[in-house]
Amino acid sequence: MHRTARHSRSPARTHGDVMANILVVDDSPAVTALLRAVLEGAGHTVLEANDGAGGLAVLSTTAVDLVVLDMMMPGMDGVETVRRLRGGGNRVPVIAMSGGTDAFPAAYSLKMSEMYGADRLLYKPFENDELLEAVDQLLAR
Amino acid sequence: MRPSARATAEVMAQVLRTTSSLAFADGLNPAQWAALRYFGQASPSARSVVAFARYHGTTKGTASQTIAALSKKGLIERHRSERDRRSVSLVLTPAGRAALDHDPLNEIAEAIAGLPESHHLAIAEALDQMLRTLLARRARRTQVRTVDEQGLRAVGADD
């Protein structure tokens, strides 16, 4: 089972406590910038990838404590990314987020990601506090 | 031997009929159960009719009817936000939360949980692929209809 060095250590990193390495995977630069601002504002370090393949590449080389993963991306989407991540044995906590589209409603993509092992589902748009609460809960596990 | 695709589709239809009949439980229909589940888990910013409709890819009218039925049964109620008095949140009542204890989906989940892990994973991956195929076909049909309708409007405009 692949585990990042950081994730294999005992957790308990909250934004009021210890900084965590958080990977944000989203194809929208605007969303990524917003998430970066919120997470860095809470004291975390943010890594970025703009699709699932890029996210998996970062996870294979870098110690990551938590992943914030968009579901709707060109190339490898979020559902497939969670499937491959868990299929490879990586248990890093994953927050799946989606606003859905007419063709692929969030009810489908978020539940599919949960089916493969996403830990928390965030339905866009969400409040900053909702993201930080989810991050804190997962890092404290 | 590869199973017959047609027969597999018919067995799947039987599973759907069985799960659908299970979902008519405690006086609620499948859409009402879906709404109860949604509002049982929704974050504060997503507790609205519009968010529920968008989440399930349905219309606001259909979502409103479902929520009105749940409200009439005393399972969901409107709360005015403390922070923004103009904003209204939909939340489950204690009876709504208690109803979720008898969610008919639990029985289906138990049947799935009883499968060997390899079968469970195979089902998950098959459902993923089938859903993607069906959604892509539905999207293509919608596009074709839209193009046809635009064409008809354009023809009408010429008349």
Side-chain angles (χ1 to χ4, degrees):
Chain A
M1 181 173 119
H2 172 78
R3 293 180 73 149
T4 62
R6 195 176 265 273
H7 187 236
S8 62
R9 291 206 298 266
S10 63
R13 301 174 188 84
T14 67
H15 70 268
D17 184 6
V18 183
M19 185 177 76
N21 260 6
I22 298 180
L23 171 63
V24 173
V25 187
D26 198 306
D27 60 312
S28 162
V31 172
T32 304
L34 185 64
L35 294 175
R36 173 184 282 280
V38 172
L39 294 168
E40 286 184 345
H44 300 298
T45 299
V46 174
L47 307 162
E48 290 179 14
N50 60 11
D51 70 3
L56 291 178
V58 172
L59 284 160
S60 69
T61 58
T62 312
V64 170
D65 298 305
L66 185 142
V67 181
V68 179
L69 177 65
D70 186 33
M71 292 294 99
M72 308 303 292
M73 296 182 288
M76 189 191 296
D77 66 21
V79 175
E80 179 62 12
T81 306
V82 180
R83 189 183 76 81
R84 292 195 190 199
L85 192 66
R86 297 300 189 234
N90 193 322
R91 299 300 309 162
V92 63
V94 173
I95 296 174
M97 55 178 183
S98 177
T101 63
D102 288 345
F104 203 3
Y108 294 73
S109 57
L110 288 176
K111 283 295 161 187
M112 281 161 74
S113 73
E114 188 180 22
M115 178 175 80
Y116 284 128
D119 300 274
R120 284 291 296 269
L121 311 179
L122 278 182
Y123 176 35
K124 291 179 183 172
F126 47 79
E127 299 288 337
N128 297 347
D129 287 350
E130 291 167 357
L131 170 66
L132 293 176
E133 187 186 333
V135 166
D136 282 355
Q137 285 176 356
L138 289 176
L139 291 176
R141 283 203 314 204
Chain B
M1 189 188 84
R2 188 180 171 87
S4 151
R6 173 76 198 180
T8 304
E10 289 187 23
V11 171
M12 183 180 288
Q14 296 287 5
V15 172
L16 292 175
R17 264 195 289 278
T18 307
T19 54
S20 179
S21 66
L22 277 175
F24 284 92
D26 293 354
L28 300 177
N29 66 33
Q32 290 163 357
W33 278 112
L36 272 190
R37 280 176 214 125
Y38 175 86
F39 287 103
Q41 296 183 335
S43 56
S45 60
R47 291 176 191 156
S48 69
V49 176
V50 172
F52 170 65
R54 209 165 51 88
Y55 180 80
H56 278 286
T58 186
T59 65
K60 193 181 165 199
T62 303
S64 294
Q65 284 175 6
T66 301
I67 290 161
L70 291 176
S71 177
K72 205 170 167 186
K73 290 173 192 286
L75 302 176
I76 203 165
E77 61 191 5
R78 289 168 201 281
H79 276 197
R80 203 158 282 283
S81 164
E82 292 293 321
R83 226 188 301 177
D84 177 3
R85 302 298 295 172
R86 290 167 303 177
S87 157
V88 174
S89 265
L90 292 161
V91 295
L92 295 189
T93 61
R97 297 216 164 270
L100 275 179
D101 290 341
H102 308 286
D103 186 344
L105 209 58
N106 295 344
E107 191 171 337
I108 302 162
E110 279 168 23
I112 294 170
L115 295 171
E117 190 179 334
S118 59
H119 289 196
H120 185 170
L121 184 61
I123 283 184
E125 292 184 338
L127 288 174
D128 176 352
Q129 292 308 312
M130 282 191 60
L131 195 54
R132 286 173 187 272
T133 302
L134 294 171
L135 288 173
R137 284 186 186 171
R138 189 174 74 174
R140 273 200 298 275
R141 275 201 302 274
T142 307
Q143 279 169 357
V144 168
R145 244 194 336 263
T146 306
V147 169
D148 284 349
E149 283 164 6
Q150 284 167 349
L152 284 172
R153 272 201 296 276
V155 170
D158 287 343
D159 285 346

PDB file of all heavy atoms in Angstrom, chain A residues 94-126:
ATOM      1  N   VAL A  94      -9.580  12.376   1.262  1.00  0.00           N
ATOM      2  CA  VAL A  94      -9.995  13.094   0.054  1.00  0.00           C
ATOM      3  C   VAL A  94     -11.317  13.822   0.301  1.00  0.00           C
ATOM      4  O   VAL A  94     -12.287  13.205   0.766  1.00  0.00           O
ATOM      5  CB  VAL A  94     -10.167  12.127  -1.140  1.00  0.00           C
ATOM      6  CG1 VAL A  94     -10.775  12.844  -2.348  1.00  0.00           C
ATOM      7  CG2 VAL A  94      -8.834  11.500  -1.524  1.00  0.00           C
ATOM      8  N   ILE A  95     -11.322  15.117  -0.009  1.00  0.00           N
ATOM      9  CA  ILE A  95     -12.580  15.874  -0.034  1.00  0.00           C
ATOM     10  C   ILE A  95     -12.962  16.029  -1.500  1.00  0.00           C
ATOM     11  O   ILE A  95     -12.222  16.640  -2.276  1.00  0.00           O
ATOM     12  CB  ILE A  95     -12.407  17.263   0.608  1.00  0.00           C
ATOM     13  CG1 ILE A  95     -12.063  17.125   2.089  1.00  0.00           C
ATOM     14  CG2 ILE A  95     -13.682  18.093   0.422  1.00  0.00           C
ATOM     15  CD1 ILE A  95     -11.736  18.449   2.782  1.00  0.00           C
ATOM     16  N   ALA A  96     -14.085  15.430  -1.893  1.00  0.00           N
ATOM     17  CA  ALA A  96     -14.555  15.540  -3.276  1.00  0.00           C
ATOM     18  C   ALA A  96     -15.505  16.732  -3.361  1.00  0.00           C
ATOM     19  O   ALA A  96     -16.360  16.903  -2.495  1.00  0.00           O
ATOM     20  CB  ALA A  96     -15.280  14.262  -3.679  1.00  0.00           C
ATOM     21  N   MET A  97     -15.346  17.547  -4.396  1.00  0.00           N
ATOM     22  CA  MET A  97     -16.239  18.707  -4.526  1.00  0.00           C
ATOM     23  C   MET A  97     -16.753  18.786  -5.959  1.00  0.00           C
ATOM     24  O   MET A  97     -16.048  18.483  -6.913  1.00  0.00           O
ATOM     25  CB  MET A  97     -15.520  19.997  -4.136  1.00  0.00           C
ATOM     26  CG  MET A  97     -14.245  20.240  -4.878  1.00  0.00           C
ATOM     27  SD  MET A  97     -13.478  21.797  -4.402  1.00  0.00           S
ATOM     28  CE  MET A  97     -12.090  21.774  -5.545  1.00  0.00           C
ATOM     29  N   SER A  98     -18.022  19.168  -6.068  1.00  0.00           N
ATOM     30  CA  SER A  98     -18.625  19.299  -7.390  1.00  0.00           C
ATOM     31  C   SER A  98     -19.866  20.179  -7.323  1.00  0.00           C
ATOM     32  O   SER A  98     -20.587  20.152  -6.336  1.00  0.00           O
ATOM     33  CB  SER A  98     -19.014  17.922  -7.939  1.00  0.00           C
ATOM     34  OG  SER A  98     -19.656  18.065  -9.195  1.00  0.00           O
ATOM     35  N   GLY A  99     -20.065  20.941  -8.388  1.00  0.00           N
ATOM     36  CA  GLY A  99     -21.317  21.670  -8.543  1.00  0.00           C
ATOM     37  C   GLY A  99     -22.206  20.950  -9.540  1.00  0.00           C
ATOM     38  O   GLY A  99     -23.378  21.268  -9.685  1.00  0.00           O
ATOM     39  N   GLY A 100     -21.636  19.971 -10.229  1.00  0.00           N
ATOM     40  CA  GLY A 100     -22.378  19.211 -11.217  1.00  0.00           C
ATOM     41  C   GLY A 100     -22.659  20.017 -12.480  1.00  0.00           C
ATOM     42  O   GLY A 100     -22.412  21.221 -12.537  1.00  0.00           O
ATOM     43  N   THR A 101     -23.140  19.328 -13.481  1.00  0.00           N
ATOM     44  CA  THR A 101     -23.572  19.970 -14.724  1.00  0.00           C
ATOM     45  C   THR A 101     -24.908  19.337 -15.104  1.00  0.00           C
ATOM     46  O   THR A 101     -25.320  18.342 -14.494  1.00  0.00           O
ATOM     47  CB  THR A 101     -22.579  19.707 -15.872  1.00  0.00           C
ATOM     48  OG1 THR A 101     -22.549  18.288 -16.119  1.00  0.00           O
ATOM     49  CG2 THR A 101     -21.178  20.186 -15.530  1.00  0.00           C
ATOM     50  N   ASP A 102     -25.577  19.882 -16.120  1.00  0.00           N
ATOM     51  CA  ASP A 102     -26.829  19.276 -16.573  1.00  0.00           C
ATOM     52  C   ASP A 102     -26.594  17.827 -17.000  1.00  0.00           C
ATOM     53  O   ASP A 102     -27.401  16.941 -16.742  1.00  0.00           O
ATOM     54  CB  ASP A 102     -27.419  20.060 -17.748  1.00  0.00           C
ATOM     55  CG  ASP A 102     -27.971  21.403 -17.291  1.00  0.00           C
ATOM     56  OD1 ASP A 102     -28.142  21.577 -16.071  1.00  0.00           O
ATOM     57  OD2 ASP A 102     -28.208  22.272 -18.151  1.00  0.00           O
ATOM     58  N   ALA A 103     -25.445  17.608 -17.673  1.00  0.00           N
ATOM     59  CA  ALA A 103     -25.168  16.267 -18.201  1.00  0.00           C
ATOM     60  C   ALA A 103     -24.675  15.311 -17.123  1.00  0.00           C
ATOM     61  O   ALA A 103     -24.846  14.101 -17.238  1.00  0.00           O
ATOM     62  CB  ALA A 103     -24.130  16.364 -19.313  1.00  0.00           C
ATOM     63  N   PHE A 104     -24.063  15.849 -16.078  1.00  0.00           N
ATOM     64  CA  PHE A 104     -23.471  14.996 -15.044  1.00  0.00           C
ATOM     65  C   PHE A 104     -23.730  15.647 -13.676  1.00  0.00           C
ATOM     66  O   PHE A 104     -22.846  16.291 -13.106  1.00  0.00           O
ATOM     67  CB  PHE A 104     -21.964  14.860 -15.305  1.00  0.00           C
ATOM     68  CG  PHE A 104     -21.315  13.649 -14.699  1.00  0.00           C
ATOM     69  CD1 PHE A 104     -22.046  12.698 -14.003  1.00  0.00           C
ATOM     70  CD2 PHE A 104     -19.951  13.437 -14.841  1.00  0.00           C
ATOM     71  CE1 PHE A 104     -21.445  11.579 -13.455  1.00  0.00           C
ATOM     72  CE2 PHE A 104     -19.325  12.321 -14.290  1.00  0.00           C
ATOM     73  CZ  PHE A 104     -20.074  11.400 -13.597  1.00  0.00           C
ATOM     74  N   PRO A 105     -24.960  15.485 -13.158  1.00  0.00           N
ATOM     75  CA  PRO A 105     -25.309  16.151 -11.896  1.00  0.00           C
ATOM     76  C   PRO A 105     -24.388  15.732 -10.743  1.00  0.00           C
ATOM     77  O   PRO A 105     -23.841  14.623 -10.745  1.00  0.00           O
ATOM     78  CB  PRO A 105     -26.743  15.682 -11.633  1.00  0.00           C
ATOM     79  CG  PRO A 105     -27.257  15.234 -12.948  1.00  0.00           C
ATOM     80  CD  PRO A 105     -26.072  14.695 -13.689  1.00  0.00           C
ATOM     81  N   ALA A 106     -24.247  16.626  -9.779  1.00  0.00           N
ATOM     82  CA  ALA A 106     -23.367  16.354  -8.641  1.00  0.00           C
ATOM     83  C   ALA A 106     -23.791  15.104  -7.885  1.00  0.00           C
ATOM     84  O   ALA A 106     -22.967  14.407  -7.295  1.00  0.00           O
ATOM     85  CB  ALA A 106     -23.355  17.556  -7.711  1.00  0.00           C
ATOM     86  N   ALA A 107     -25.104  14.797  -7.899  1.00  0.00           N
ATOM     87  CA  ALA A 107     -25.592  13.598  -7.198  1.00  0.00           C
ATOM     88  C   ALA A 107     -24.891  12.351  -7.731  1.00  0.00           C
ATOM     89  O   ALA A 107     -24.658  11.401  -6.988  1.00  0.00           O
ATOM     90  CB  ALA A 107     -27.097  13.455  -7.382  1.00  0.00           C
ATOM     91  N   TYR A 108     -24.554  12.362  -9.003  1.00  0.00           N
ATOM     92  CA  TYR A 108     -23.877  11.204  -9.601  1.00  0.00           C
ATOM     93  C   TYR A 108     -22.391  11.229  -9.254  1.00  0.00           C
ATOM     94  O   TYR A 108     -21.841  10.260  -8.730  1.00  0.00           O
ATOM     95  CB  TYR A 108     -24.039  11.206 -11.122  1.00  0.00           C
ATOM     96  CG  TYR A 108     -25.448  11.018 -11.603  1.00  0.00           C
ATOM     97  CD1 TYR A 108     -26.387  12.032 -11.482  1.00  0.00           C
ATOM     98  CD2 TYR A 108     -25.852   9.832 -12.206  1.00  0.00           C
ATOM     99  CE1 TYR A 108     -27.685  11.872 -11.935  1.00  0.00           C
ATOM    100  CE2 TYR A 108     -27.148   9.660 -12.666  1.00  0.00           C
ATOM    101  CZ  TYR A 108     -28.058  10.678 -12.524  1.00  0.00           C
ATOM    102  OH  TYR A 108     -29.344  10.523 -12.967  1.00  0.00           O
ATOM    103  N   SER A 109     -21.725  12.342  -9.598  1.00  0.00           N
ATOM    104  CA  SER A 109     -20.266  12.368  -9.460  1.00  0.00           C
ATOM    105  C   SER A 109     -19.831  12.263  -8.000  1.00  0.00           C
ATOM    106  O   SER A 109     -18.886  11.532  -7.685  1.00  0.00           O
ATOM    107  CB  SER A 109     -19.689  13.629 -10.098  1.00  0.00           C
ATOM    108  OG  SER A 109     -20.251  14.791  -9.527  1.00  0.00           O
ATOM    109  N   LEU A 110     -20.518  12.971  -7.105  1.00  0.00           N
ATOM    110  CA  LEU A 110     -20.095  12.928  -5.697  1.00  0.00           C
ATOM    111  C   LEU A 110     -20.318  11.538  -5.101  1.00  0.00           C
ATOM    112  O   LEU A 110     -19.472  11.022  -4.372  1.00  0.00           O
ATOM    113  CB  LEU A 110     -20.843  13.994  -4.890  1.00  0.00           C
ATOM    114  CG  LEU A 110     -20.400  15.440  -5.160  1.00  0.00           C
ATOM    115  CD1 LEU A 110     -21.270  16.434  -4.394  1.00  0.00           C
ATOM    116  CD2 LEU A 110     -18.930  15.657  -4.792  1.00  0.00           C
ATOM    117  N   LYS A 111     -21.455  10.925  -5.420  1.00  0.00           N
ATOM    118  CA  LYS A 111     -21.720   9.587  -4.866  1.00  0.00           C
ATOM    119  C   LYS A 111     -20.791   8.542  -5.475  1.00  0.00           C
ATOM    120  O   LYS A 111     -20.397   7.573  -4.813  1.00  0.00           O
ATOM    121  CB  LYS A 111     -23.190   9.197  -5.081  1.00  0.00           C
ATOM    122  CG  LYS A 111     -24.122   9.878  -4.110  1.00  0.00           C
ATOM    123  CD  LYS A 111     -23.856   9.437  -2.669  1.00  0.00           C
ATOM    124  CE  LYS A 111     -24.429  10.399  -1.651  1.00  0.00           C
ATOM    125  NZ  LYS A 111     -24.038  10.067  -0.269  1.00  0.00           N
ATOM    126  N   MET A 112     -20.443   8.726  -6.759  1.00  0.00           N
ATOM    127  CA  MET A 112     -19.494   7.790  -7.366  1.00  0.00           C
ATOM    128  C   MET A 112     -18.130   7.906  -6.697  1.00  0.00           C
ATOM    129  O   MET A 112     -17.445   6.917  -6.461  1.00  0.00           O
ATOM    130  CB  MET A 112     -19.395   8.032  -8.879  1.00  0.00           C
ATOM    131  CG  MET A 112     -20.570   7.411  -9.630  1.00  0.00           C
ATOM    132  SD  MET A 112     -20.797   8.120 -11.268  1.00  0.00           S
ATOM    133  CE  MET A 112     -19.460   7.400 -12.179  1.00  0.00           C
ATOM    134  N   SER A 113     -17.732   9.138  -6.368  1.00  0.00           N
ATOM    135  CA  SER A 113     -16.431   9.306  -5.703  1.00  0.00           C
ATOM    136  C   SER A 113     -16.484   8.705  -4.295  1.00  0.00           C
ATOM    137  O   SER A 113     -15.519   8.104  -3.831  1.00  0.00           O
ATOM    138  CB  SER A 113     -16.029  10.784  -5.659  1.00  0.00           C
ATOM    139  OG  SER A 113     -16.794  11.493  -4.721  1.00  0.00           O
ATOM    140  N   GLU A 114     -17.642   8.848  -3.626  1.00  0.00           N
ATOM    141  CA  GLU A 114     -17.782   8.242  -2.292  1.00  0.00           C
ATOM    142  C   GLU A 114     -17.733   6.719  -2.391  1.00  0.00           C
ATOM    143  O   GLU A 114     -17.161   6.042  -1.541  1.00  0.00           O
ATOM    144  CB  GLU A 114     -19.104   8.700  -1.657  1.00  0.00           C
ATOM    145  CG  GLU A 114     -19.236   8.269  -0.209  1.00  0.00           C
ATOM    146  CD  GLU A 114     -20.554   8.720   0.418  1.00  0.00           C
ATOM    147  OE1 GLU A 114     -21.521   8.995  -0.309  1.00  0.00           O
ATOM    148  OE2 GLU A 114     -20.601   8.786   1.656  1.00  0.00           O
ATOM    149  N   MET A 115     -18.354   6.200  -3.463  1.00  0.00           N
ATOM    150  CA  MET A 115     -18.341   4.753  -3.680  1.00  0.00           C
ATOM    151  C   MET A 115     -16.894   4.238  -3.750  1.00  0.00           C
ATOM    152  O   MET A 115     -16.576   3.169  -3.231  1.00  0.00           O
ATOM    153  CB  MET A 115     -19.084   4.474  -4.997  1.00  0.00           C
ATOM    154  CG  MET A 115     -19.161   3.048  -5.440  1.00  0.00           C
ATOM    155  SD  MET A 115     -20.205   2.895  -6.931  1.00  0.00           S
ATOM    156  CE  MET A 115     -19.094   3.403  -8.241  1.00  0.00           C
ATOM    157  N   TYR A 116     -16.014   5.020  -4.355  1.00  0.00           N
ATOM    158  CA  TYR A 116     -14.617   4.588  -4.491  1.00  0.00           C
ATOM    159  C   TYR A 116     -13.762   4.965  -3.283  1.00  0.00           C
ATOM    160  O   TYR A 116     -12.588   4.590  -3.224  1.00  0.00           O
ATOM    161  CB  TYR A 116     -13.999   5.207  -5.747  1.00  0.00           C
ATOM    162  CG  TYR A 116     -14.454   4.538  -7.028  1.00  0.00           C
ATOM    163  CD1 TYR A 116     -14.973   5.293  -8.069  1.00  0.00           C
ATOM    164  CD2 TYR A 116     -14.354   3.165  -7.191  1.00  0.00           C
ATOM    165  CE1 TYR A 116     -15.383   4.686  -9.254  1.00  0.00           C
ATOM    166  CE2 TYR A 116     -14.760   2.550  -8.358  1.00  0.00           C
ATOM    167  CZ  TYR A 116     -15.269   3.313  -9.388  1.00  0.00           C
ATOM    168  OH  TYR A 116     -15.670   2.711 -10.549  1.00  0.00           O
ATOM    169  N   GLY A 117     -14.327   5.739  -2.348  1.00  0.00           N
ATOM    170  CA  GLY A 117     -13.561   5.984  -1.117  1.00  0.00           C
ATOM    171  C   GLY A 117     -13.254   7.433  -0.790  1.00  0.00           C
ATOM    172  O   GLY A 117     -12.405   7.683   0.071  1.00  0.00           O
ATOM    173  N   ALA A 118     -13.918   8.400  -1.441  1.00  0.00           N
ATOM    174  CA  ALA A 118     -13.761   9.796  -1.014  1.00  0.00           C
ATOM    175  C   ALA A 118     -14.333   9.924   0.399  1.00  0.00           C
ATOM    176  O   ALA A 118     -15.339   9.285   0.724  1.00  0.00           O
ATOM    177  CB  ALA A 118     -14.482  10.738  -1.965  1.00  0.00           C
ATOM    178  N   ASP A 119     -13.680  10.729   1.230  1.00  0.00           N
ATOM    179  CA  ASP A 119     -14.058  10.787   2.643  1.00  0.00           C
ATOM    180  C   ASP A 119     -15.147  11.815   2.933  1.00  0.00           C
ATOM    181  O   ASP A 119     -15.964  11.623   3.828  1.00  0.00           O
ATOM    182  CB  ASP A 119     -12.817  11.115   3.484  1.00  0.00           C
ATOM    183  CG  ASP A 119     -11.751  10.067   3.307  1.00  0.00           C
ATOM    184  OD1 ASP A 119     -11.798   9.060   4.012  1.00  0.00           O
ATOM    185  OD2 ASP A 119     -10.878  10.239   2.426  1.00  0.00           O
ATOM    186  N   ARG A 120     -15.118  12.938   2.227  1.00  0.00           N
ATOM    187  CA  ARG A 120     -16.122  13.980   2.448  1.00  0.00           C
ATOM    188  C   ARG A 120     -16.571  14.528   1.108  1.00  0.00           C
ATOM    189  O   ARG A 120     -15.773  14.618   0.165  1.00  0.00           O
ATOM    190  CB  ARG A 120     -15.547  15.134   3.290  1.00  0.00           C
ATOM    191  CG  ARG A 120     -15.422  14.820   4.768  1.00  0.00           C
ATOM    192  CD  ARG A 120     -16.774  14.692   5.468  1.00  0.00           C
ATOM    193  NE  ARG A 120     -17.525  15.933   5.472  1.00  0.00           N
ATOM    194  CZ  ARG A 120     -17.468  16.832   6.429  1.00  0.00           C
ATOM    195  NH1 ARG A 120     -16.706  16.635   7.485  1.00  0.00           N
ATOM    196  NH2 ARG A 120     -18.180  17.934   6.350  1.00  0.00           N
ATOM    197  N   LEU A 121     -17.832  14.906   1.015  1.00  0.00           N
ATOM    198  CA  LEU A 121     -18.382  15.446  -0.225  1.00  0.00           C
ATOM    199  C   LEU A 121     -18.775  16.888   0.019  1.00  0.00           C
ATOM    200  O   LEU A 121     -19.487  17.182   0.981  1.00  0.00           O
ATOM    201  CB  LEU A 121     -19.612  14.632  -0.648  1.00  0.00           C
ATOM    202  CG  LEU A 121     -19.450  13.104  -0.647  1.00  0.00           C
ATOM    203  CD1 LEU A 121     -20.759  12.435  -1.061  1.00  0.00           C
ATOM    204  CD2 LEU A 121     -18.316  12.672  -1.565  1.00  0.00           C
ATOM    205  N   LEU A 122     -18.308  17.771  -0.846  1.00  0.00           N
ATOM    206  CA  LEU A 122     -18.698  19.181  -0.742  1.00  0.00           C
ATOM    207  C   LEU A 122     -19.368  19.581  -2.046  1.00  0.00           C
ATOM    208  O   LEU A 122     -18.791  19.438  -3.126  1.00  0.00           O
ATOM    209  CB  LEU A 122     -17.471  20.074  -0.505  1.00  0.00           C
ATOM    210  CG  LEU A 122     -16.949  20.185   0.919  1.00  0.00           C
ATOM    211  CD1 LEU A 122     -15.763  21.136   0.959  1.00  0.00           C
ATOM    212  CD2 LEU A 122     -18.022  20.642   1.892  1.00  0.00           C
ATOM    213  N   TYR A 123     -20.566  20.081  -1.896  1.00  0.00           N
ATOM    214  CA  TYR A 123     -21.383  20.462  -3.045  1.00  0.00           C
ATOM    215  C   TYR A 123     -21.179  21.960  -3.276  1.00  0.00           C
ATOM    216  O   TYR A 123     -21.466  22.767  -2.390  1.00  0.00           O
ATOM    217  CB  TYR A 123     -22.828  20.100  -2.708  1.00  0.00           C
ATOM    218  CG  TYR A 123     -23.865  20.483  -3.705  1.00  0.00           C
ATOM    219  CD1 TYR A 123     -23.612  20.458  -5.063  1.00  0.00           C
ATOM    220  CD2 TYR A 123     -25.133  20.841  -3.276  1.00  0.00           C
ATOM    221  CE1 TYR A 123     -24.588  20.799  -5.964  1.00  0.00           C
ATOM    222  CE2 TYR A 123     -26.121  21.183  -4.165  1.00  0.00           C
ATOM    223  CZ  TYR A 123     -25.844  21.168  -5.510  1.00  0.00           C
ATOM    224  OH  TYR A 123     -26.814  21.508  -6.393  1.00  0.00           O
ATOM    225  N   LYS A 124     -20.655  22.310  -4.463  1.00  0.00           N
ATOM    226  CA  LYS A 124     -20.389  23.720  -4.771  1.00  0.00           C
ATOM    227  C   LYS A 124     -21.684  24.467  -5.089  1.00  0.00           C
ATOM    228  O   LYS A 124     -22.559  23.871  -5.720  1.00  0.00           O
ATOM    229  CB  LYS A 124     -19.488  23.830  -6.003  1.00  0.00           C
ATOM    230  CG  LYS A 124     -18.074  23.363  -5.827  1.00  0.00           C
ATOM    231  CD  LYS A 124     -17.385  23.542  -7.181  1.00  0.00           C
ATOM    232  CE  LYS A 124     -15.974  23.036  -7.181  1.00  0.00           C
ATOM    233  NZ  LYS A 124     -15.400  23.057  -8.540  1.00  0.00           N
ATOM    234  N   PRO A 125     -21.827  25.738  -4.774  1.00  0.00           N
ATOM    235  CA  PRO A 125     -20.837  26.508  -4.013  1.00  0.00           C
ATOM    236  C   PRO A 125     -20.967  26.228  -2.520  1.00  0.00           C
ATOM    237  O   PRO A 125     -22.051  25.909  -2.036  1.00  0.00           O
ATOM    238  CB  PRO A 125     -21.252  27.950  -4.313  1.00  0.00           C
ATOM    239  CG  PRO A 125     -22.717  27.887  -4.583  1.00  0.00           C
ATOM    240  CD  PRO A 125     -22.976  26.554  -5.198  1.00  0.00           C
ATOM    241  N   PHE A 126     -19.844  26.320  -1.807  1.00  0.00           N
ATOM    242  CA  PHE A 126     -19.881  26.107  -0.357  1.00  0.00           C
ATOM    243  C   PHE A 126     -19.172  27.273   0.319  1.00  0.00           C
ATOM    244  O   PHE A 126     -18.421  28.026  -0.316  1.00  0.00           O
ATOM    245  CB  PHE A 126     -19.225  24.772   0.016  1.00  0.00           C
ATOM    246  CG  PHE A 126     -17.901  24.522  -0.642  1.00  0.00           C
ATOM    247  CD1 PHE A 126     -16.741  25.121  -0.182  1.00  0.00           C
ATOM    248  CD2 PHE A 126     -17.815  23.685  -1.743  1.00  0.00           C
ATOM    249  CE1 PHE A 126     -15.524  24.883  -0.801  1.00  0.00           C
ATOM    250  CE2 PHE A 126     -16.608  23.443  -2.377  1.00  0.00           C
ATOM    251  CZ  PHE A 126     -15.449  24.041  -1.904  1.00  0.00           C
TER     252      PHE A 126
END
